[in-house]
Amino acid sequence: MDSQALNARCVELFQNPNVRLRMWNARMFWKVGDQFNVSSDKLTDPKVDLCELEVMLATAALTESQCAAELDKKEPGRAAFIQRQTREGMRPLLRAATH
């Protein structure tokens, strides 16, 4: 999945009601300047690794991740760690985005 499609998936997952219950602010994951209530079309410049973000958001949304296998190829066990932390109500520290 290319980075634009992956970002679009993350933005879509971020809108999921189960994710919204976590009360995460978009500023935690995307560069949005000093804005607090940002519309989804402004979420284009990620602060964190999009693959890791997709795994975290998919877990919070109670849906299947499309990046977990790819992430585990790069670093075995990383996806399971992110999923476990998210299921336990924590927000795992995600790696910074590489541009």
Side-chain angles (χ1 to χ4, degrees), residues 22-41:
R22 304 286 181 124
M23 298 182 69
W24 292 330
N25 193 294
R27 297 177 67 174
M28 300 166 83
F29 312 114
W30 288 274
K31 296 176 187 171
V32 295
D34 59 357
Q35 301 174 23
F36 276 97
N37 295 318
V38 182
S39 61
S40 59
D41 63 319

Side-chain angles (χ1 to χ4, degrees), residues 35-55:
Q35 301 174 23
F36 276 97
N37 295 318
V38 182
S39 61
S40 59
D41 63 319
K42 303 273 194 232
L43 304 178
T44 58
D45 191 10
K47 288 183 181 180
V48 298
D49 180 279
L50 284 173
C51 195
E52 291 189 353
L53 179 60
E54 191 276 344
V55 171

